Each structure stands twice: as structure tokens, then as C-alpha cells.
Amino acid sequence: MFTEVKPFLLYAVSSVHAGSGSEVGLVDLPIQREQHTGFPKIESSSLKGAIRAACSYLARDDEEAKRRIRLIFGSDPSETEGDGSRELQAGAISLADARLLLFPVKSMRGVFAWITCPYVLRRWNDELELFGKGSHETFPVPEVNTVSPSSKLLIPNNGQEKVPADQRDRIVLGEYTLEVTPSEETARLGQALGRHLSLTEELELEKRLVILDDDTFRDFVTLSTEVNARIRIESEKGTVVNKALWYEENLPPESVLYSFLFAGHVRGGGEESFQTDKDVLNYLMDDDHFPAVFQLGGNSTIGRGILRRIWL
């Protein structure tokens, strides 16, 4: 049974390819998505494996840390091989799927915007209340088609005193022109999220945040991910290897996801000084054991999958 829960955010420093396998379609290697919404996600098994790998690397020269990682994450898959003489260990943590919270899209003004929608925000609040039993902060859910009054995304009116009604408070995201309304509630949401993400002044979230309706948000996260062509070159000839052209999808940099870490007491008693759910949680919340920046997903050798973890 898991008795402690800790929510956290994941900020994509680089493009992230958490793949769902190969498909026959326009994209050969798509990313993981929720079946019912089509929103991008990172499955809990991918997330747990990446976190274990990051923790194991830091513990590579520390035998005590290696034992604790085994108590936290459970037996390594390689332990199931062989004659089975070694007793297996059940893990003391679980992770929820990382769900999309903010998605970056190209903007005519301000370079790019972060978009979200009421469905995503309400679901996040519901999960915070459900898992945290009221102990975690919840966040405002502004009206749709709103931005902060200080938004840098608004199309300027070039000093015109009388502006036609159909040209007031517009933004251009990708190929779409949208009418928006300045909202203090959207500003408060941006400020709250910005405090947690600790972004630089140039990336001030409040001034880039847009609340879209659920359907428009779904369209953007379906059609505005990165799709890159990849090829493999034959070194001797300098030409493309036969059938070595493929297209793969990535979650773009600046994407923000959220997840939950669930911790319980160490199975089987653990060690004298490492037994309780709080011992497990404190270990993982220490940057010396679980780094604030880690790699997840494919293409690590070309810089993909760099994530920044932020505890809430």
C-alpha cells in the first residue's frame, strides 16, 4: 500500500521521444498518447525506468545507495534470469503517467505561447485533491480564449484609437487567428505556475499563457508536435542506406507535464535506517540521489529527452 504522495512537474529542456512503437502511417515512430483524448503523455513504465537509470548512475560507486535503489524500485529485471536463487525484491514506489499540462505553439507575437484548456486544468486539480486529500495547492481554471492583461502575444493596433470590433484583442497561433479576452484569473494561473517552474524573465509564463477551449487544444497537441525526418548514411558510399528513411514524432521543448510519485514502506522490512515511506520519499527528493535534470526516451545520443523535474 502506498501511503505518501508527491506531485511533480516535468519541463522538457529538449525534444522528447517517448515512443509507442512503429506504425504504418505518415509518422513511422509516433509518441505515446492517451487513447481517449489523443493528448501526448509519458507512460509510467517509461518514467519509472528513466528515473531508476538516473538514480543508478549516481549510485554506481556507492554500495549502500545501490541497495537502497533496489529497495525503492524493486529487483532489476536481470535478476529474474539465471537459476532464480536470489530472492526478488518488490518496489516501494509507484508513478502515475505523466500527463500534458502546458504545450508550446508558435506565435506571431512573442515567438511562442503556452496553451492549456479547462479540461486539462480541472483534471489536474481533481488529481491533486484526490491523491493529496486536500494537502496540495490547486490552481485557477480561467475562462476559454483568455490571456493575461500583460500578454506579449496580442497583435498591436498600431496606435489606432478606434479599432473595429473584429480586430480587438487578437492573437495568432500557428496558422490560426483567435480572439481573446484579457483575464486577471489567467494572469494568476500564469504567476502560480511560473513560481513553480522558476523560469527566466525572458520566458515569463504569465505573458505567454493562453487558455483555449478543449477542442482547439486537442487540435494543436495533435497537429503541432515535432515530426522529423531521419536517415542513415552508408559511410563508404556517403548515400542513404536502402529503406533507412523514417519519420519520428517528438514532444517539443518547453512542454510541461505533471505526474505523481507514490511511496510506501519498504517491502520485507528493508534496512534498519531505511524502512518507512518517508525514508523512501526523502531519498528521492534529494538531488544527490535523483538529479533535477535527467534523460528519458529514445535518441539520447543526439540530445533528445532532457527533462527538468520540479517537486510541488
Side-chain angles (χ1 to χ4, degrees):
M1 180 178 178
F2 300 109
T3 48
E4 289 284 337
V5 60
K6 187 68 177 176
F8 61 97
L9 301 176
L10 294 172
Y11 183 93
V13 179
S14 67
S15 303
V16 180
H17 180 75
S20 61
S22 59
E23 287 189 4
V24 178
L26 295 176
V27 179
D28 301 295
L29 299 175
I31 59 174
Q32 298 165 2
R33 291 181 178 272
E34 297 175 358
Q35 183 66 31
H36 64 302
T37 65
F39 296 172
K41 67 170 182 175
I42 298 175
E43 292 180 4
S44 55
S45 55
S46 301
L47 185 56
K48 185 179 179 183
I51 293 174
R52 179 171 189 153
C55 294
S56 297
Y57 180 78
L58 293 182
R60 62 192 182 282
D61 299 321
D62 186 335
E63 292 302 321
E64 180 184 23
K66 288 180 181 178
R67 291 196 303 273
R68 291 188 173 182
I69 287 173
R70 187 173 185 270
L71 294 174
I72 292 170
F73 292 95
S75 302
D76 188 275
S78 63
E79 295 181 35
T80 61
E81 301 173 358
D83 59 7
S85 58
R86 185 175 183 182
E87 184 178 353
L88 299 180
Q89 173 71 40
I93 65 165
S94 178
L95 286 151
D97 289 349
R99 290 175 159 176
L100 188 64
L101 179 62
L102 301 173
F103 186 77
V105 296
K106 181 172 61 176
S107 173
M108 178 178 286
R109 300 285 296 179
V111 183
F112 79 95
W114 272 296
I115 62 171
T116 188
C117 68
Y119 172 77
V120 166
L121 294 171
R122 290 193 184 101
R123 181 169 68 172
W124 187 34
N125 280 337
D126 288 345
E127 292 178 12
L128 286 168
E129 292 182 354
L130 175 66
F131 298 139
K133 298 179 180 178
S135 62
H136 298 305
E137 173 191 8
T138 56
F139 295 83
V141 182
E143 295 294 321
V144 300
N145 294 335
T146 57
V147 297
S148 167
S150 62
S151 176
K152 59 173 61 178
L153 309 174
L154 294 170
I155 304 299
N157 294 319
N158 298 322
Q160 301 178 58
E161 293 184 4
K162 294 184 177 180
V163 181
D166 62 351
Q167 295 182 20
R168 295 174 187 167
D169 295 331
R170 295 174 302 148
I171 60 175
V172 178
L173 301 181
E175 293 77 32
Y176 299 93
T177 301
L178 304 169
E179 294 183 5
V180 294
T181 303
S183 165
E184 290 294 340
E185 192 171 29
T186 302
R188 288 195 295 272
L189 173 62
Q191 291 163 4
L193 291 173
R195 285 194 298 270
H196 289 295
L197 291 173
S198 302
L199 300 173
T200 63
E201 185 175 347
E202 292 77 12
L203 291 176
E204 194 168 7
L205 194 153
E206 174 193 350
K207 296 181 179 180
R208 298 181 184 275
L209 183 62
V210 184
I211 311 300
L212 299 178
D213 65 82
D214 298 341
D215 291 335
T216 303
F217 178 81
R218 179 199 58 204
D219 292 343
F220 272 112
V221 302
T222 302
L223 303 173
S224 296
T225 53
E226 290 184 357
V227 177
N228 299 324
R230 298 284 307 281
I231 60 172
R232 186 166 66 250
I233 301 294
E234 187 173 338
S235 57
E236 293 183 1
K237 296 180 180 179
T239 58
V240 178
V241 175
N242 186 37
K243 297 183 180 180
L245 166 66
W246 70 97
Y247 291 87
E248 64 182 26
E249 185 180 23
N250 296 292
L251 198 61
E254 324 298 349
S255 298
V256 179
L257 305 97
Y258 70 90
S259 183
F260 295 86
L261 169 67
F262 305 95
H265 297 306
V266 175
R267 309 292 179 90
E271 300 176 348
E272 184 176 352
S273 60
F274 196 78
Q275 298 179 341
T276 70
D277 49 3
K278 287 184 171 54
D279 292 334
V280 172
L281 207 55
N282 290 337
Y283 183 93
L284 291 176
M285 290 181 65
D286 187 337
D287 288 355
D288 291 334
H289 298 143
F290 174 23
V293 179
F294 65 103
Q295 194 278 333
L296 178 146
N299 301 322
S300 61
T301 59
I302 55 174
R304 301 284 193 265
I306 306 301
L307 293 170
R308 181 163 64 92
R309 179 262 305 142
I310 304 106
W311 297 113
L312 295 179

